[in-house]
Amino acid sequence: MIDVDPVGELDVHPCDCCGADILVAKGWLSEGERDLGTYKVEWAEGQLEHESSIDLILGDWSEAGQASDRYAVSIVHRLHDGRPQFLVIDAAEKFLPQSDAYGRTMSRADLGEIGMTSTVHAYAEQIVLKDARLYDLTGGWAPERPQ
């Protein structure tokens, strides 16, 4: 089972295109004792017609893990017929090629090559469903707001 562990309070900054408040939520994904990665979700408050984004840094987060053992993934989230949809996009459009946190960015094709596309979609869905700060992004699809 995937655990979603929100970190901190929401950050807020203005949207470049419309001036709406952009909310930013961060957290960790884990499975049992193993850290799977970090996440950051950005969305325009009250502007569900705007796509939101889910950025992940996945890979080896153990004490022995290095940035070269991790990769950045970027996902566009939107509601379609009242249900969340997730689309992996080329993370190089949002991230630097590498950083202290990750060694490479991944495209949709890259994820397909390593068999991670469906896993990444499942992670995104779990984040939206289990981080209570993101409840509005479910479009009412989630049965109830998580605690």
Side-chain angles (χ1 to χ4, degrees), residues 2 29 54 56 58 73-78 84-89 107-109 111-112 115-129 141:
I2 304 302
L29 290 172
I54 302 172
L56 306 171
L58 304 171
V73 177
S74 193
I75 302 160
V76 172
H77 162 271
R78 64 178 158 245
Q85 285 189 332
F86 305 100
L87 175 67
V88 176
I89 61 171
S107 68
R108 172 188 243 166
L111 288 174
M116 284 291 292
T117 305
S118 62
T119 301
V120 165
H121 280 105
Y123 291 168
E125 183 176 272
Q126 291 299 301
I127 291 165
V128 170
L129 290 175
W141 177 65

Side-chain angles (χ1 to χ4, degrees), residues 16-67:
D16 292 336
C17 71
C18 69
D21 284 342
I22 300 293
L23 304 178
V24 182
K26 297 177 183 177
W28 282 91
L29 290 172
S30 59
E31 188 170 32
E33 296 295 315
R34 185 172 66 110
D35 288 328
L36 300 172
T38 66
Y39 68 88
K40 178 178 80 170
V41 181
E42 294 184 312
W43 73 100
E45 184 174 33
Q47 306 284 326
L48 291 180
E49 65 277 3
H50 278 324
E51 294 176 335
S52 51
S53 67
I54 302 172
D55 297 322
L56 306 171
I57 300 177
L58 304 171
D60 185 356
W61 284 93
S62 70
E63 288 188 31
Q66 309 268 331

